[in-house]
Amino acid sequence: MRVPHSSKPRVLSGIQPTNVLHIGNYLGAIKQWVDMQKEYECFFCIVDLHAITVQQKSKSLHENIRRLAAFYIACGIDPAVSTIFVQSRVSGHAELAWILNTLVKVSELERMTQYKDKSNQHRTNINAGLLDYPVLMAADILLYDTDVVPVGEDQSQHVELTCTLARRLNTQFGNVLKVPKLKLCVETARIAALDDPLKKMSKSASSAMNYIALDDASKTIQQKFQKAVTDSGRTIVFDPKRPGLYNLLTIYKAFTDESEQAIEEHFRGNGYAALKQEVARVVIQALEPIQDRYHALLDRRSELEQILDAGTKHAHAIARVTLERVFRALGLG
Ligand code: AMP
Ligand code: TRP
């Protein structure tokens, strides 16, 4: 059973329950979460309030929350050790976000790269929540006195803003919030899209050729790698100036844990077709047991609901303590 008060440093991270999960999410985020469970007390959030900053269908949002929880567990997050919970069910997230809203400058939010990207993508729905997204993320992190935030590179700007807001509140009101640290997994912090290696692999991409979804069938995975964009070179070496090839090798390395030297040696004398086939093989091999566990979990719905209920209860209790501290420091209530 989970220890209610651990002396281990805390980790908090989250993913939006939107669309499909892909190997970029797995390698950039979830894989390192799994490893961190030994040394840290971990909180893994399903950030559904973030998801509604772009339009969602209520039925699929509800189902996607369950699917994401099942993927967390199937990938190796152990609900007996770590807390898995749904953001919207812990009211403190929205409450702290409101307070932080009074400390953040609109100009700081307008500078965020993700806001600029998303408001370009969703021109007819540039809602205030889209702009405010990083403040809610700061609340997610700061509510749990988080020490470390493991995310992919695209989220580092948001974690930096979180630290700025915590320091700002502390300067005005005393030492109230813990200032967290960002943890990037450098090598896999930005897995590129298969159909355009200059872009990041993304679940909101218009073409499914962009990504390998965690629940893609073996045949689909083979086909997607076969069609992956590379260059006209011949040698198979880790060269960041050849982004398509580099991405395939990075994926191979992440799934095999072999050294770059060993991998280059392994592929010496081979062409891109052989490389693509091999990358597909190691990815299929790694995803197979995850997919089996995922489907088994989706067949045991009540167990999944129980895990989310217990996680939410635990998260809520901790969030309340921080929030009371913030209320007191600000003179609220
Ligand atoms: P999102 O898909 O935006 O909800 O991201 C969930 C987590 O996966 C975050 O920690 C992201 O930084 C990470 N992530 C998303 N896309 C990639 C990618 N292409 N490469 C590495 N990490 C990623
Ligand atoms: N914004 C993150 C993303 O799109 C998800 C997220 C929300 C998150 N709250 C968080 C990540 C808190 C880490 C910590 O990927």
Side-chain angles (χ1 to χ4, degrees), residues 1-5 41-43 79-84 307 310-311 314-315:
M1 273 310 288
R2 192 185 320 120
V3 191
H5 294 287
E41 184 190 9
C42 295
F43 290 80
V81 176
S82 301
T83 303
I84 300 174
I307 290 170
H314 184 64

Side-chain angles (χ1 to χ4, degrees), residues 15 21 25-34 72 75 77 214:
I15 296 184
L21 269 190
N25 300 127
Y26 177 69
L27 297 177
I30 304 178
K31 190 163 175 266
Q32 38 172 350
W33 299 359
V34 172
Y72 278 3
C75 289
I77 304 299
L214 290 191

Side-chain angles (χ1 to χ4, degrees), residues 208-220:
M209 298 309 282
N210 170 296
Y211 53 77
I212 302 289
L214 290 191
D215 59 352
D216 269 347
S218 307
K219 219 170 167 183
T220 312

Side-chain angles (χ1 to χ4, degrees), residues 223-297:
Q223 282 164 354
K224 286 183 179 177
F225 276 118
Q226 243 168 39
K227 297 214 170 97
V229 172
T230 43
D231 52 47
S232 55
R234 285 177 183 275
T235 49
I236 296 184
V237 286
F238 279 86
D239 178 1
K241 289 197 214 80
R242 293 160 69 189
L245 171 66
Y246 188 75
N247 192 43
L248 291 179
L249 286 170
T250 302
I251 294 171
Y252 184 89
K253 184 177 176 208
F255 278 106
T256 58
D257 279 332
E258 285 173 25
S259 71
E260 294 191 2
Q261 209 184 356
I263 294 169
E264 288 176 357
E265 191 58 42
H266 178 78
F267 287 110
R268 197 181 302 280
N270 283 296
Y272 285 170
L275 167 69
K276 287 174 170 182
Q277 228 168 30
E278 276 279 283
V279 182
R281 188 183 59 77
V282 298
V283 172
I284 291 167
Q285 204 172 35
L287 293 189
E288 234 162 31
I290 294 177
Q291 293 180 348
D292 288 348
R293 286 193 291 269
Y294 171 70
H295 292 296
L297 274 159

Side-chain angles (χ1 to χ4, degrees), residues 18 227 271 316:
T18 49
K227 297 214 170 97
H316 182 77

